[in-house]
Amino acid sequence: MPEFLTERDRSALAQLRDCMTNPKLVSRATILLLADEDKTTTQIVETAGVSARQVGYWLREWDKRGLDIFPPEAQALLAPGSDEPVSSLGASIDEVVPSDDGASLDVVPLPGINQPRTALNLLDAPGVQPTDPMSEAGRKVLLFHFERMLLNEPGVRVGEDIEAVHDMRVATRRMRSGIRLFEPFFKPGRLSAYNASLKRIAGSLGEVRDLDVFMDKAQKYAQKSPDVDLAPLFAEWEKRLEIARERLMHRLDSREFTRFNEEFHKFLTTPGKGARSLPDPEDREPVEARHVFPRMLYGLYEQVRVYDDLVDSREVTTLHALRIELKRLRYALEFFEEILGPEGRAVIKEVKVLQDHLGDMNDAEVAVMILRDFVDEEDRKNSGKPRFMRQPDVSGVRQYMLAKQLEKDRLINTFPTAWAAFTREDVRRNLALAVSAL
């Protein structure tokens, strides 16, 4: 929390709180004023109607930026040298607000903070054409998901919606999968540095997202089981989440991430950059998407089907490897969905059902390991004490761990049935029909 607010800061924040009508900006000022009164995070959450993450975020931003956490038109409400506001701020922070001298003040949002770092086109689809060379098809696909990553960064920073972290992470995953798919069509090593940067940001996003998912599922379990006390677990996960968010913010604020975004954007918006030279037409070498992708797609499908004889083994490591192959198949189908036949959408849906099944199994397995570590650590701290004297009481966490273990076992045991549904004849037929459109 900030150590103190000066009288001038306090007066300015009070003016902003009282004269603004945008609820988000009012909450922002209220958080700081309550923190200055030494209110706890819990008290601020209850009074301001915000989340604990929002409290932490805006206190950190105040430490770094002061009044600049408010847009210029909000600061224009403060008359220089006066305690009187000069006007009121409307409900939208995007509108143009008149200043005290009658001039118009245009909002100047901070790139990456409350707007994307660069102007985005946000097409409905990558725009791949059947006759595109594979390098240019890849450039379109990567740019499409790169823009989705930038679009979600402001939401990730504020932390109001956990889906912003999910969507930004998914965008990085798709780009990494795209780089793996399209790398052969670019000069050697041309995409490796970008992939390394994406891996780092994906790791930071993953730390936050995984904890978000664990907490969300644990909260739903607690709501259905009111007699189970998971408070010690939530307290520990909140601490971890705060640390993970700090690391994520550090990553987003880093020069390395800024440089990556600038260089990758330039690369993706420059046709032909870094691509292998196209062969002489006389060589008749396939380079267009319509010629190359069918072979690639069936190769990915083959990598999935080699697990036919292994799914009954119920080996977790085997199922994890299969999950990765399914993800690669699904992303490839989505990258080229607009040039495939309409049956492609049905195949994507089938892959997603199987992938989600394995994803839930993976989440349950990881949750069991984390819960077991938590319980073991508490047992170590309370070694030698009778169970009834141990603090905190983690019996509720033990019960939840058992529930997650049962969930994992159920998903493993039912997977062969899900696999049989995926490998049925009409799914294979739909895949062939989707490719036949090329």
Side-chain angles (χ1 to χ4, degrees):
M1 285 191 176
E3 295 181 358
F4 62 91
L5 295 176
T6 66
E7 284 299 326
R8 185 173 182 179
D9 290 337
R10 197 172 294 115
S11 174
L13 289 168
Q15 287 185 66
L16 292 172
R17 178 196 61 193
D18 296 338
C19 69
M20 293 187 299
T21 57
N22 184 300
K24 290 186 177 181
L25 299 182
V26 171
S27 295
R28 202 173 299 177
T30 302
I31 288 169
L32 296 163
L33 290 167
L34 290 172
D36 187 54
E37 296 173 9
D38 292 328
K39 300 294 185 183
T40 65
T41 297
T42 300
Q43 291 172 322
I44 297 174
V45 167
E46 293 174 352
T47 304
V50 294
S51 68
R53 280 180 227 167
Q54 288 173 268
V55 173
Y57 176 79
W58 289 117
L59 294 179
R60 291 192 299 272
E61 288 300 300
W62 174 266
D63 283 340
K64 292 187 287 187
R65 296 160 50 201
L67 281 171
D68 285 340
I69 68 170
F70 295 94
E73 75 277 18
Q75 296 184 44
L77 303 181
L78 306 173
S82 168
D83 290 336
E84 295 298 322
V86 297
S87 64
S88 63
L89 183 62
S92 172
I93 65 172
D94 296 323
E95 64 186 321
V96 176
V97 180
S99 67
D100 55 344
D101 62 1
S104 292
L105 289 169
D106 291 322
V107 180
V108 185
L110 296 173
I113 304 297
N114 44 25
Q115 74 169 19
R117 293 172 182 253
T118 188
L120 306 178
N121 290 321
L122 295 176
L123 301 175
D124 292 333
V128 173
Q129 297 296 317
T131 55
D132 281 340
M134 284 294 288
S135 57
E136 297 314 300
R139 197 184 309 277
K140 291 177 180 180
V141 167
L142 292 172
L143 179 60
F144 179 84
H145 294 292
F146 177 72
E147 289 199 339
R148 265 63 189 174
M149 182 189 76
L150 296 185
L151 176 67
N152 283 285
E153 182 184 357
V156 167
R157 288 178 176 276
V158 175
E160 294 176 354
D161 181 4
I162 66 173
E163 292 308 307
V165 174
H166 169 70
D167 292 345
M168 187 173 182
R169 184 191 190 192
V170 167
T172 63
R173 282 181 165 180
R174 281 178 162 81
M175 282 187 283
R176 293 192 66 209
S177 186
I179 285 175
R180 185 176 187 274
L181 187 70
F182 294 107
E183 194 166 27
F185 306 98
F186 288 87
K187 295 175 182 177
R190 194 62 184 84
L191 298 178
S192 57
Y194 301 134
N195 193 41
S197 293
L198 285 169
K199 182 178 182 180
R200 286 190 284 273
I201 188 60
S204 298
L205 289 162
E207 284 188 77
V208 175
R209 175 60 182 173
D210 288 345
L211 284 165
D212 276 335
V213 169
F214 295 150
M215 290 186 67
D216 181 62
K217 291 187 175 182
Q219 286 165 351
K220 290 177 180 176
Y221 176 83
Q223 290 170 359
K224 294 180 180 179
S225 309
D227 295 335
V228 177
D229 181 15
L230 297 182
L233 181 66
F234 289 137
E236 174 64 21
W237 279 355
E238 282 287 359
K239 293 177 185 176
R240 294 188 186 184
L241 186 58
E242 186 67 21
I243 294 171
R245 281 194 60 81
E246 287 280 2
R247 283 198 284 258
L248 176 56
M249 293 306 108
H250 179 73
R251 176 72 64 190
L252 295 177
D253 290 337
S254 68
R255 291 182 180 178
E256 187 271 338
F257 187 61
T258 297
R259 184 168 59 251
F260 157 74
N261 280 290
E262 292 172 350
E263 293 177 357
F264 200 35
H265 181 261
K266 183 177 180 180
F267 175 82
L268 295 177
T269 53
T270 308
K273 191 174 181 63
R276 287 181 180 271
S277 299
L278 295 178
D280 191 301
E282 295 295 327
D283 294 338
R284 303 298 181 188
E285 181 180 338
V287 294
E288 295 179 1
R290 58 180 175 167
H291 299 146
V292 177
F293 182 63
R295 180 180 70 244
M296 296 179 68
L297 180 59
Y298 272 110
L300 293 167
Y301 181 68
E302 289 168 2
Q303 285 301 117
V304 171
R305 291 302 304 272
V306 295
Y307 288 84
D308 271 333
D309 298 330
L310 300 173
V311 293
D312 285 332
S313 70
R314 292 168 170 76
E315 287 288 336
V316 172
T317 53
T318 299
L319 296 179
H320 283 334
L322 172 57
R323 178 169 166 251
I324 292 172
E325 298 298 343
L326 282 166
K327 187 181 301 182
R328 289 169 179 166
L329 174 61
R330 176 188 168 188
Y331 288 169
L333 283 164
E334 290 176 343
F335 293 161
F336 289 89
E337 180 182 355
E338 58 195 312
I339 64 172
L340 293 172
E343 298 83 2
R345 186 180 298 275
V347 178
I348 291 171
K349 183 178 179 180
E350 296 288 349
V351 177
K352 185 178 185 301
V353 169
L354 201 60
Q355 185 185 342
D356 287 347
H357 189 116
L358 291 175
D360 289 340
M361 184 206 73
N362 180 71
D363 288 347
E365 182 194 21
V366 174
V368 168
M369 291 189 294
I370 291 176
L371 294 168
R372 184 179 292 117
D373 288 345
F374 177 82
V375 169
D376 288 347
E377 178 62 16
E378 292 303 321
D379 286 346
R380 185 191 65 77
K381 292 178 182 177
N382 288 281
S383 178
K385 295 181 183 178
R387 191 174 295 276
F388 71 89
M389 294 179 60
R390 296 183 178 186
Q391 292 294 330
D393 180 7
V394 296
S395 57
V397 181
R398 293 179 190 277
Q399 187 171 336
Y400 181 51
M401 180 173 65
L402 176 60
K404 297 305 289 184
Q405 180 64 52
L406 292 173
E407 179 186 352
K408 171 191 166 184
D409 293 342
R410 175 184 61 79
L411 290 165
I412 290 176
N413 291 332
T414 57
F415 183 72
T417 301
W419 177 256
F422 171 72
T423 55
R424 67 187 189 273
E425 182 180 350
D426 60 315
V427 176
R428 301 196 302 272
R429 183 184 300 111
N430 281 335
L431 180 64
L433 290 171
V435 173
S436 70
L438 296 174

